[in-house]
Amino acid sequence: MSYSDLQQQPIAMFDMDGTLLDLAFDDFIWNHCLPERHAQTHQCSLEQSKQTLFQFYQQHKHTLSWYSSAYWTAKVGVDVLQLQYEHREKIRARKGCHELLEQLKAQGYRCWLLTNADRAGLQLKLENVELSPYFEVMISSEELGHAKEEVAFWQKLQQIHPFDPAQAIFIDDTVAVLQGAERFGINQLFSILQPSSAKPARLATEVAYPSLDHLTNLFDYLDTNLQVTDAKTA
């Protein structure tokens, strides 16, 4: 296939945590395990620990530091990556994840994984859920020096891996990230109704983008682009 043919193929871009993978794992680590380990390490009450950590979380939300296990390890004195490895058996794909990726590849979509997880976090997830075979590009925002919330992330991505925003769809559970992608020029944007199985689903009316319950609901939106008329039941 020539480079120009490749450029004509539509690209399906995916977030990882809360989109392809169940965010329940990350919620468990950051809201349960880390406060407990932090309280033990610093010999304070669990309540004090939660207060301290959640204050830090709010300060760094939507920044690269927020997603960096190395940053948090230095900041709070607990090996956050080690903590995740201790509970890695809880890392799980969301329902329909592999089914959707299989069908997209069969339809000729190029699949890219774009995550705000740092390189170490991405590696951990890839060791525990089979995602690598589906993706031609896998990028951690740490590599680009900008979180996906920033237009600069998308500009750098486009420099390294040229693509036409008009040929791309992007699925992410975080509204601020979708807004960054929209400012850059990607218009086919989708969100997720229930990023974490441990929390209730959001109402579709709460999210300003088309929202997917089961991942394969994406085909309800993409039918016009599909070569197979009934891909949902194929």
Side-chain angles (χ1 to χ4, degrees):
M1 184 179 291
S2 71
Y3 179 73
S4 60
D5 287 342
L6 197 63
Q7 289 294 89
Q8 291 306 309
Q9 281 186 277
I11 299 173
M13 300 174 169
F14 287 94
D15 169 49
M16 183 171 66
D17 301 311
T19 298
L20 294 176
L21 302 185
D22 191 342
L23 198 62
F25 171 77
D26 302 88
D27 289 342
F28 176 69
I29 294 295
W30 295 98
N31 299 331
H32 178 75
C33 296
L34 184 55
E36 282 192 348
R37 185 69 56 88
H38 181 267
Q40 291 164 5
T41 303
H42 297 287
Q43 298 184 330
C44 61
S45 72
L46 184 59
E47 199 44 53
Q48 284 174 309
S49 177
K50 283 183 174 178
Q51 219 169 2
T52 301
L53 290 171
F54 295 167
Q55 196 174 356
F56 288 158
Y57 293 168
Q58 289 308 309
Q59 288 168 4
H60 296 285
K61 208 166 187 181
H62 303 307
T63 68
L64 266 187
S65 297
W66 166 267
Y67 303 105
S68 168
S69 48
Y71 173 83
W72 288 109
T73 295
K75 178 88 172 170
V76 305
V78 174
D79 189 333
V80 176
L81 187 61
Q82 174 61 32
L83 198 58
Q84 293 177 73
Y85 269 93
E86 287 172 25
H87 297 282
R88 60 187 179 274
E89 78 286 346
K90 292 182 181 293
I91 299 170
R92 294 193 181 94
R94 290 187 67 249
K95 194 174 178 186
C97 166
H98 292 102
E99 185 184 348
L100 174 60
L101 294 172
E102 289 279 2
Q103 290 193 39
L104 284 172
K105 287 202 85 172
Q107 297 300 334
Y109 279 82
R110 303 163 65 195
C111 292
W112 292 11
L113 181 65
L114 309 175
T115 179
N116 270 332
D118 59 12
R119 289 186 191 91
L122 174 58
Q123 183 61 35
L124 166 67
K125 302 293 173 61
L126 294 179
E127 286 170 9
N128 289 276
V129 178
E130 191 177 41
L131 292 176
S132 303
Y134 298 99
F135 292 98
E136 69 170 56
V137 169
M138 291 188 289
I139 293 280
S140 159
S141 59
E142 183 182 22
E143 297 169 48
L144 303 187
H146 297 276
K148 289 184 297 182
E149 288 87 335
E150 302 173 49
V151 172
F153 169 92
W154 299 96
Q155 292 168 335
K156 281 205 165 186
L157 175 67
Q158 193 180 42
Q159 287 167 14
I160 299 167
H161 300 284
F163 70 95
D164 178 1
Q167 290 279 3
I169 62 171
F170 177 53
I171 304 99
D172 198 295
D173 65 302
T174 303
V175 169
V177 170
L178 291 167
Q179 289 169 338
E182 187 171 23
R183 287 195 301 273
F184 170 71
I186 297 174
N187 293 316
Q188 293 187 83
L189 299 164
F190 301 91
S191 193
I192 300 292
L193 284 182
Q194 191 176 18
S196 168
S197 63
K199 293 181 178 177
R202 299 182 280 205
L203 295 173
T205 51
E206 291 176 49
V207 188
Y209 298 93
S211 299
L212 311 175
D213 184 12
H214 193 287
L215 277 168
T216 53
N217 292 155
L218 182 64
F219 286 108
D220 295 340
Y221 295 96
L222 302 182
D223 269 349
T224 52
N225 297 333
L226 296 180
Q227 297 146 8
V228 177
T229 52
D230 201 8
K232 293 187 294 299
T233 56

